[in-house]
Amino acid sequence: MARFKLYTAIFVVLMGLSTTQAVVERTGMVDFDAPGTYWTAFGVILVLSFVKATFVATYYMHLRWEPRSVTYLFLGGLFVALALTTAAAYSIL
Amino acid sequence: MSHGEAGGHDFPPTSSVKRWFVTTNHKDIGILYTITALFFLVLGGVLAMLMRVQLWSPGASVLSAGAYNQAVSAHGLLMVFWFISPFAFGFANYLVPLQIGADDLAFPRLNAMSYWAYLFSGLLFIASFFQGGTFDGGWTMYAPLNLPTYMPNIGGTTVVLALIMFIAAVTMGSVNFLTTMYRMRAEGLRMRDLPMFSMSILLMVWMMLFAFAALLAALMILAAEHLFGVTYFSAEGGTLLWTHLFWFFGHPEVYIVFFPALGIMAECFQTFTGQRIVGRKWFVLAMVLVALQSFVVWMHHMFLTGINLEIKTLFMITTIGISLPFDLMVFSLIYTMIKGRIRFTTPFLFSLGALILFIVGGITGVFLGAVVLDYEFRGTYWVVAHFHYVMVGGATGLFAGIYYWFPKMTGRMYDEFLGKVHFALYFVGFNLLYFPLFVAWETPRRVFDYAPGLTSWHQVASIGGFVLGASFLVMFYNLFVSLATGEEVGENPWEYSTTAEWVVSSPPPLENFPGKPSYSGGKLSFRDEPELTADGSGDDEPAGSPSTDGGTTTDGGLASEASETSSDPRSDGGVRTEGAATGGTGLVSDPGTATPAAAGTGTAHGGGPHADHASFWPFVVCFAGFLTFLGVSGIQSGGAYLGLTAVGGLLSAVGFVGFASESFYVPEPTVAEQWPFGGVENMKLGMWTFLASDVVLFGGFIGSYLFLRVANGWIHWHHEFVPEAHVTFPGLVNTYLLLASSFAVVLSLVAAHRNSRRGVVASLSVTWLLGVGFLINKGLEWQHLFHVSTDAFPNGWNVGTNVASSTFYLTTGLHGAHVVVGLIMLLYMIPRAWRGAYLDDDSSIEYFGLYWHFVDIVWLFLFPLFYIL
Ligand SMILES: [Cu+2]
């Protein structure tokens, strides 16, 4: 079954990306006293999380095969959460 | 033939008490909601009267300071949460399915559950009065007043739990309404053509879905602060965090409250001026715009806090911007009156009153939206007056609704003269009460003492308060007497009404429509079922426009036959089934339904199993929830509270198992307008909608962590509050475990497709084991951290040690609780899979998978945020 192979490949990718996140930490880039490398690592690691989440939602949660509106529904929730977090954090900067 | 004999379809009539405990019918639930909301109106009103007595003269001492604070807080909370929105929910429940041409809501048992959760959350609130005093920190529950330090009473905690239970009710309702309105509309009814009231409810539930999830996050954190001693709101930046979370909910809540009123006003203006809303398209567009904008204006409640000036300015602009679409709506309503011919009935008077009050409330609100003026007015009675003009203005629209639909719900007319007396007393009393507060604006909010010079204004206000209160006696008398002796009405007592509820009898039959409602001809008509059409005894000739009574004539004498066989023909729809089964129409000639077996289970809408309308489990589950929450509120004091928690927990388990294993059939419409969710089954859409709100709940928790970390210095946080740097490994292991468990769920679907029972059982079991492994690993990690011993943390790093430990344990704890819920679902599913349940229909596994993968996704973000960065 083609889907089965696809799901397995995605599983391998997900495990690999998680390991990569830990590796980035191991290389010493997550250094609080060196803002340059810290914020780079911060960005890399979070982008990897978004990539992983997108894979899970798209394939394991079958969003790819649902009407686009379901994706918008989910993104609506995400947008609300992000708006609250960023605006609140910005208000005290 | 009794109902019990009719295919075991045991549904008691409305005169039976049992009916009201088991019903899942949307109209019954609408009535329950309405009556319960009116009860809380009276309760909140009595508290308000107490306050007005206290304020008769400055420094009076009718109430103690503590009792006054409790009265203020409870009045605000009860009116905002337990009266006004549920009141609108009552109308929504009753009318939205009728207006969109559906038989019921998509998930009738969930709807019943929503009502019982609402009722029991209110009873929980009432219980708090008897626990040494209720919540006394104001309805906005500002930190630090909401913290246990300032509110040691168990009652304060109970109120927080009551609100959590209330939000559970709201979320179930929102998911249900969204699924229903998107998936069960009559053929040809486009989203943009929804009647105004249904449109307003659609936007209301959208706002509710997201706004209440943010409040839920705030309240769960607050409950944890009371019960486990976490420190969020007492930490650096904590009070500001509360205001962000609260007002992110609180501002949309204003429109959540007001929109149904706006919908009712629009309906009443159309009906009683005989004029379609002028610029309807623009009106709807403006409502959508306001719904969206409402989420980006919350900081106008925070101009007096330490947020930076740029963002204050930005939020001033967005706030003043929101008045533009409102202006459009107001002008559209005014122009509708000018173009139409007004009939001054009671519902119209209340609608017009609501419009006037809202205009005053809106204009006075602009003062508060401007940063500089707000500095002057914040914390004064200006805010009290403005707020009441807006909120009670909204309630005025809802009272229009109760008169407008009273004939539909009861089949009898109210007394028009008494209705007008009610309106006169109401409107005069309202303005006597609230307008003087603008003049006496220098009175400080939430304090019962004020400058002696303001006394006469307050006395006028108190008199107005009593007139307003008394006006409701007229309303209750009128409605109560009319229920028994009012003039009977047919389908439609109102000329020029246009919506679908007016074409069915009053009250409507159990399953609402005589045939299949359709708008495909441009107007509402009823298509008879295919069986009827094939037989030739019915055709799909339009039943005429809603303002004629043609609608019910197409049911082939069904209704009249029903009334012969029923003790309660008006609303007991089980009878219609019998009417059909006994062969009043061409139904019996259809081979599919003519057999004796089908006669018992066939419906008036054709063959197939009959939709269920009764379940006792929603009541049981919510009663159990009530006991559990009441027990948890005092769990720290042990004793009877512990017992209560245990009993509640046990009964909950029984209730959920009963609920899950009960067979309850709900047909999904075969012909329905389902844009934009065609092809997504109801259950799936419901699950996705729920998950969208769960995103906001987790967003609230993760956002709180990020906010507090920013407030405490991102790096400082790491250096000062955390005992061990970079504990990536346990987090990585848990990431592997969860990803593998997600993969196992996917494999179980693959196995189901291959018709492998063993494969399904095996993969679900593996999912379960991996989930348990996740929890064990987390438990070990927590154990380790609890007993960490460093120079900085000699006593370990536990839940209340500092803000970092609190955010860590609570956020990962909430996630862990989600995992536990998933594992419990698996325990239910695995034995069923063993018996081969999911081989023909794997949709249950798919819905479970949606939940499980979502929990997985959340962890994908918790891992870097709490373990790496
Ligand atoms: Cu606001």
Side-chain angles (χ1 to χ4, degrees):
Chain A
M1 193 179 182
R3 283 271 183 97
F4 174 68
K5 281 188 187 135
L6 175 69
Y7 292 143
T8 312
I10 287 166
F11 177 61
V12 172
V13 170
L14 288 172
M15 296 297 258
L17 291 180
S18 304
T19 314
T20 312
Q21 287 178 315
V23 168
V24 170
E25 190 269 326
R26 282 286 114 190
T27 57
M29 276 177 80
V30 183
D31 182 351
F32 285 99
D33 301 311
T37 59
Y38 176 80
W39 291 111
T40 310
F42 183 92
V44 169
I45 287 172
L46 275 190
V47 166
L48 287 179
S49 275
F50 273 103
V51 172
K52 285 196 289 179
T54 309
F55 267 114
V56 174
T58 311
Y59 293 98
Y60 285 3
M61 294 173 91
H62 294 170
L63 270 182
R64 195 178 180 292
W65 296 284
E66 303 289 359
R68 196 61 56 82
S69 48
V70 181
T71 307
Y72 294 146
L73 166 67
F74 197 58
L75 288 180
L78 186 64
F79 174 78
V80 166
L82 287 177
L84 171 60
T85 306
T86 46
Y90 175 76
S91 77
I92 51 166
L93 283 178
Chain B
M1 186 163 62
S2 81
H3 297 148
E5 286 160 3
H9 188 68
D10 186 18
F11 192 52
T14 47
S15 54
S16 150
V17 174
K18 187 184 167 201
R19 157 88 161 227
W20 300 99
F21 283 92
V22 299
T23 182
T24 61
N25 180 259
H26 71 97
K27 294 183 290 297
D28 292 349
I29 304 228
I31 288 169
L32 288 171
Y33 255 111
T34 308
I35 291 172
T36 311
L38 285 172
F39 166 75
F40 284 108
L41 167 72
V42 173
L43 185 59
V46 169
L47 290 167
M49 298 292 179
L50 282 175
M51 281 146 59
R52 283 320 314 176
V53 170
Q54 172 79 27
L55 292 166
W56 184 259
S57 56
S61 54
V62 180
L63 299 171
S64 69
Y68 185 82
N69 287 345
Q70 290 181 30
V72 169
S73 310
H75 163 74
L77 289 166
L78 285 170
M79 289 300 207
V80 168
F81 292 99
W82 279 274
F83 161 59
I84 197 159
S85 284
F87 196 40
F89 243 85
F91 295 130
N93 255 295
Y94 202 99
L95 292 152
V96 165
L98 286 164
Q99 289 198 333
I100 67 171
D103 287 347
D104 203 327
L105 288 180
F107 311 113
R109 285 194 302 169
L110 195 69
N111 196 29
M113 197 120 112
S114 165
Y115 167 71
W116 292 111
Y118 157 57
L119 175 72
F120 280 114
S121 71
L123 296 181
L124 202 56
F125 195 118
I126 292 173
S128 75
F129 284 97
F130 305 101
Q131 292 179 300
T134 186
F135 194 92
D136 59 3
W139 88 274
T140 52
M141 309 175 89
Y142 281 148
L145 289 179
N146 58 11
L147 297 179
T149 325
Y150 297 93
M151 199 181 302
N153 285 338
I154 291 175
T157 311
T158 307
V159 168
V160 177
L161 296 174
L163 278 162
I164 289 177
M165 194 169 178
F166 177 79
I167 295 175
V170 167
T171 306
M172 288 187 267
S174 315
V175 168
N176 213 343
F177 271 94
L178 285 170
T179 308
T180 308
M181 297 180 83
Y182 280 114
R183 299 253 323 146
M184 297 172 64
R185 302 189 310 280
E187 184 185 11
L189 180 62
R190 298 177 303 179
M191 284 311 283
R192 70 179 89 155
D193 294 332
L194 286 180
M196 291 309 293
F197 177 68
S198 289
M199 183 65 85
S200 72
I201 295 300
L202 176 73
L203 294 167
M204 174 187 87
V205 288
W206 266 119
M207 287 189 281
M208 278 183 156
L209 186 75
F210 293 133
F212 274 92
L215 180 66
L216 181 60
L219 290 167
M220 285 173 83
I221 293 171
L222 183 58
E225 200 129 1
H226 279 253
L227 295 171
F228 314 131
V230 301
T231 56
Y232 272 69
F233 302 129
S234 48
E236 174 78 35
T239 52
L240 209 51
L241 172 64
W242 175 267
T243 47
H244 272 302
L245 288 172
F246 183 85
W247 287 115
F248 189 77
F249 147 79
H251 192 84
E253 169 70 0
V254 175
Y255 304 116
I256 289 169
V257 165
F258 196 72
F259 267 36
L262 204 56
I264 293 172
M265 285 153 68
E267 299 268 1
C268 287
F269 271 62
Q270 295 191 118
T271 298
F272 298 111
T273 61
Q275 164 70 42
R276 198 174 134 97
I277 283 286
V278 175
R280 184 187 189 277
K281 189 167 65 175
W282 295 101
F283 195 97
V284 171
L285 216 62
M287 282 171 81
V288 173
L289 207 59
V290 168
L292 290 172
Q293 269 182 291
S294 70
F295 282 95
V296 289
V297 299
W298 78 92
M299 280 189 241
H300 66 216
H301 295 269
M302 300 167 64
F303 287 156
L304 282 195
T305 65
I307 57 175
N308 62 45
L309 190 60
E310 294 88 6
I311 205 152
K312 281 181 194 171
T313 314
L314 182 69
F315 273 75
M316 174 167 84
I317 294 163
T318 57
T319 299
I320 293 180
I322 212 167
S323 58
L324 299 175
F326 262 121
D327 295 341
L328 200 149
M329 289 188 244
V330 167
F331 286 126
S332 155
L333 288 173
I334 293 175
Y335 202 53
T336 306
M337 278 192 291
I338 294 173
K339 277 187 77 178
R341 270 195 61 235
I342 299 173
R343 281 166 298 145
F344 287 95
T345 58
T346 307
F348 179 81
L349 287 173
F350 272 96
S351 301
L352 180 61
L355 180 63
I356 294 167
L357 300 181
F358 184 72
I359 292 173
V360 177
I363 292 172
T364 52
V366 176
F367 288 67
L368 299 168
V371 175
V372 180
L373 288 173
D374 186 60
Y375 285 172
E376 191 67 19
F377 286 119
R378 184 66 51 187
T380 72
Y381 262 43
W382 185 276
V383 180
V384 177
H386 154 72
F387 180 75
H388 282 87
Y389 263 88
V390 175
M391 299 296 262
V392 189
T396 310
L398 299 181
F399 291 118
I402 210 165
Y403 286 103
Y404 186 52
W405 283 306
F406 181 83
K408 177 51 58 187
M409 292 172 152
T410 64
R412 290 179 187 273
M413 200 58 177
Y414 60 86
D415 185 291
E416 190 66 57
F417 173 73
L418 286 178
K420 284 179 176 144
V421 171
H422 175 205
F423 176 74
L425 286 174
Y426 179 97
F427 200 71
V428 170
F430 178 100
N431 285 294
L432 271 184
L433 170 54
Y434 296 113
F435 201 81
L437 304 186
F438 283 122
V439 187
W441 68 272
E442 285 175 292
T443 313
R445 271 181 93 176
R446 305 185 181 100
V447 178
F448 60 71
D449 202 3
Y450 52 84
L454 304 170
T455 308
S456 45
W457 292 113
H458 277 285
Q459 292 185 343
V460 173
S462 290
I463 292 167
F466 280 93
V467 174
L468 180 63
S471 78
F472 285 106
L473 298 179
V474 180
M475 179 186 88
F476 284 120
Y477 173 80
N478 185 359
L479 299 187
F480 193 73
V481 171
S482 302
L483 200 58
T485 64
E487 183 195 337
E488 291 200 28
V489 294
E491 294 83 49
N492 182 13
W494 310 123
E495 209 181 341
Y496 304 126
S497 63
T498 56
T499 44
E501 73 269 27
W502 300 110
V503 302
V504 290
S505 61
S506 306
L510 188 71
E511 279 162 8
N512 292 352
F513 297 103
K516 229 169 214 345
S518 169
Y519 287 87
S520 52
K523 268 185 169 177
L524 177 66
S525 62
F526 294 110
R527 287 176 189 285
D528 288 336
E529 284 299 280
E531 287 88 352
L532 300 179
T533 312
D535 182 59
S537 69
D539 58 22
D540 56 4
E541 179 190 345
S545 78
S547 51
T548 73
D549 65 350
T552 50
T553 58
T554 56
D555 70 354
L558 222 100
S560 57
E561 182 154 352
S563 54
E564 286 164 21
T565 53
S566 167
S567 55
D568 186 10
R570 291 185 165 280
S571 54
D572 192 319
V575 170
R576 285 183 61 251
T577 307
E578 277 179 24
T582 48
T585 69
L587 206 86
V588 284
S589 64
D590 181 281
T593 53
T595 60
T601 52
T603 75
H605 292 232
H610 193 288
D612 286 307
H613 298 289
S615 172
F616 194 51
W617 296 111
F619 172 80
V620 174
V621 167
C622 295
F623 176 62
F626 169 78
L627 295 180
T628 314
F629 275 128
L630 193 60
V632 166
S633 72
I635 200 148
Q636 285 162 332
S637 54
Y641 281 108
L642 271 180
L644 211 54
T645 312
V647 171
L650 212 65
L651 192 59
S652 302
V654 172
F656 276 115
V657 170
F659 189 92
S661 35
E662 177 180 56
S663 83
F664 191 89
Y665 175 70
V666 183
E668 280 190 30
T670 44
V671 183
E673 221 47 57
Q674 301 183 326
W675 182 87
F677 292 106
V680 187
E681 317 84 273
N682 283 359
M683 264 303 277
K684 191 189 279 178
L685 181 60
M687 185 54 108
W688 272 108
T689 314
F690 166 74
L691 291 180
S693 84
D694 219 18
V695 172
V696 179
L697 174 68
F698 271 113
F701 272 79
I702 296 173
S704 297
Y705 158 74
L706 294 172
F707 180 86
L708 288 171
R709 189 158 168 184
V710 169
N712 286 275
W714 194 269
I715 290 167
H716 183 256
W717 175 282
H718 179 80
H719 287 329
E720 293 298 311
F721 298 140
V722 185
E724 289 177 340
H726 303 302
V727 279
T728 309
F729 193 66
L732 182 64
V733 170
N734 266 351
T735 309
Y736 287 156
L737 287 172
L738 267 200
L739 286 174
S741 73
S742 263
F743 184 53
V745 175
V746 172
L747 289 185
S748 72
L749 274 178
V750 173
H753 277 288
R754 291 180 180 169
N755 217 25
S756 158
R757 184 169 67 99
R758 280 162 172 280
V760 175
V761 173
S763 45
L764 288 180
S765 305
V766 168
T767 308
W768 193 80
L769 289 173
L770 288 166
V772 170
F774 175 91
L775 290 179
I776 291 174
N777 188 40
K778 180 175 288 299
L780 290 175
E781 179 206 6
W782 279 24
Q783 272 301 317
H784 168 69
L785 288 170
F786 285 152
H787 300 107
V788 152
S789 184
T790 65
D791 292 344
F793 302 100
N795 302 319
W797 199 62
N798 45 46
V799 204
T801 301
N802 59 36
V803 62
S805 72
S806 294
T807 48
F808 172 76
Y809 289 117
L810 199 59
T811 312
T812 56
L814 177 72
H815 178 268
H818 273 71
V819 172
V820 170
V821 170
L823 292 178
I824 293 172
M825 290 197 251
L826 280 172
L827 282 184
Y828 175 76
M829 291 171 72
I830 292 170
R832 284 171 59 86
W834 182 256
R835 296 193 295 270
Y838 305 120
L839 298 180
D840 317 323
D841 177 13
D842 60 5
S843 50
S844 300
I845 300 184
E846 198 189 343
Y847 307 145
F848 167 76
L850 291 180
Y851 174 82
W852 191 261
H853 299 311
F854 170 72
V855 175
D856 188 354
I857 287 181
V858 172
W859 181 258
L860 296 181
F861 290 95
L862 297 191
F863 168 52
L865 288 174
F866 286 94
Y867 290 85
I868 305 183
L869 299 168

